Amino acid sequence: MSLQELKEKLWKAKHLVVLTGAGISAESGVPTFRGEGGLWKQFRAVDLATPEAFARDPELVWEFYNWRRELIAPLSPNPGHFALAEIERRIPHFTLITQNIDGLHKKAGSTNIIELHGNLWKVRCTRCETTSEDLSMPLPKLPSCRSCGSLLRPHVVWFGEMLEPKVLNAAFDAISSCDLMIVIGTSGTVQPAASMGIQAKRNGALAAEINLEPTPYSDVYDISILGKSGEILPKLLCRKEE
Ligand code: BV8
Ligand code: ZN
């Protein structure tokens, strides 16, 4: 199946679910997790994005997140983000599930967004759990809660942590009722997000993938289109033959 077939399915879809990963933000300049830009100093993101790393050295983990905030703040959504926001405006029922914490989907105008792994611009108190958006940069080396004075942490889901049940339930509800699911810019490495495309297929939806390179799921999806999401997604918007 090709881009043209995906386009036909898209404009007939009753409920489209899109799952995005770091790849959709790559053309905005956000380093992906497993690409060459994914390194930070001598650390790998997966070694720092853990509760153990935060318990061991909260200042280092906050330095990592402050670095990502400084890096991402000036970046803009790319044509792939904008195309998804436009598709949401044009079809009856659209749910966007993202693994990304960069906030670029919202900046591009998407509204019905499920942030599986939290948000880089939100902080949460390690004691009273008060969660708020804080755009200030840089945050103090060890930011503290305005309500109780305890240490704040990034409001993101680290490796080894459960996703918030209400977030996960919202994602699975969408996946169980969609008739088309498009998985974009994710290597299919991180669970539980990685198996959501197959889940949708099992529930009877047509499953498609748009990715720069093949993934472990490419052969299982009904449609697998290789390329840059920033180039492919805008093509879905024009109704004429490509
Ligand atoms: C959980 C927030 C239950 C933080 C993130 C085995 C051992 C140990 C652990 C596990 C295991 N199996 C499963 C687990 C659990 C673990 C996991 O999956 N580990 C992996 C690494 C094996 N999962 C968890 O811990 C999750 N929780 O399962 O709870 C539990 C509880 C306790 C114990 C066990 C289970 C929580 C996972 C959430 C982690 N937090 N982010 C932060 O960002 O700082 S995940 C992080 O990775 C990002 O959110 C990122 O989005 C995500 C996934 O990566 P991708 O988005 O796919 O990015 P990647 O770079 O990999 O790929 C990019 C793709 O885009 C590539 O394919 C590339 O080709 C493509 N691309 C590039 N450019 C473009 C493009 N495509 C299109 N266009 C382009 N221009
Ligand atoms: Zn507090």
Side-chain angles (χ1 to χ4, degrees), residues 20-27 31-35 45-46 48-49 64-65 68 78 98-101 116-118 120 156-163 168 184-194 210-215 227-232:
T20 62
I24 196 163
S25 295
E27 290 159 84
T32 62
F33 267 70
R34 289 158 194 88
V46 284
L48 285 163
F64 172 54
Y65 282 93
R68 284 172 75 189
N78 65 62
T98 188
Q99 299 173 83
N100 301 341
I101 63 171
L116 286 180
H117 298 155
L120 187 60
V156 299
V157 181
W158 282 325
F159 290 100
E161 290 188 318
M162 305 290 279
L163 278 64
L168 201 51
I184 305 170
T186 179
S187 61
T189 329
V190 173
Q191 296 298 351
I210 297 173
N211 208 63
L212 196 60
E213 60 202 358
T215 70
K228 291 185 172 184
S229 47
E231 294 168 5
I232 292 167

Side-chain angles (χ1 to χ4, degrees), residues 153-234:
R153 59 166 279 175
H155 181 58
V156 299
V157 181
W158 282 325
F159 290 100
E161 290 188 318
M162 305 290 279
L163 278 64
E164 281 188 31
K166 64 179 183 346
V167 169
L168 201 51
N169 292 337
F172 282 121
D173 284 352
I175 287 164
S176 59
S177 64
C178 71
D179 54 328
L180 176 61
M181 175 134 180
I182 309 177
V183 179
I184 305 170
T186 179
S187 61
T189 329
V190 173
Q191 296 298 351
S195 24
M196 290 183 173
I198 298 303
Q199 201 68 45
K201 193 167 159 54
R202 267 193 218 117
N203 295 338
L206 190 107
E209 178 187 59
I210 297 173
N211 208 63
L212 196 60
E213 60 202 358
T215 70
Y217 297 91
S218 300
D219 297 339
V220 190
Y221 292 141
D222 303 290
I223 304 176
S224 178
I225 299 172
L226 291 181
K228 291 185 172 184
S229 47
E231 294 168 5
I232 292 167
L233 288 170

Side-chain angles (χ1 to χ4, degrees), residues 59 61-63 65-67 69-70 119-124 132-144 146 152-155:
E59 217 167 295
V61 173
W62 265 119
E63 195 187 339
Y65 282 93
N66 269 319
W67 171 75
R69 287 160 72 105
E70 307 264 353
N119 186 300
L120 187 60
W121 305 106
K122 290 183 179 169
V123 291
R124 186 172 82 235
S132 59
E133 186 178 65
D134 186 335
L135 301 175
S136 49
M137 281 193 301
L139 285 165
K141 281 184 184 294
L142 289 173
S144 51
R146 284 203 192 96
L152 292 176
R153 59 166 279 175
H155 181 58

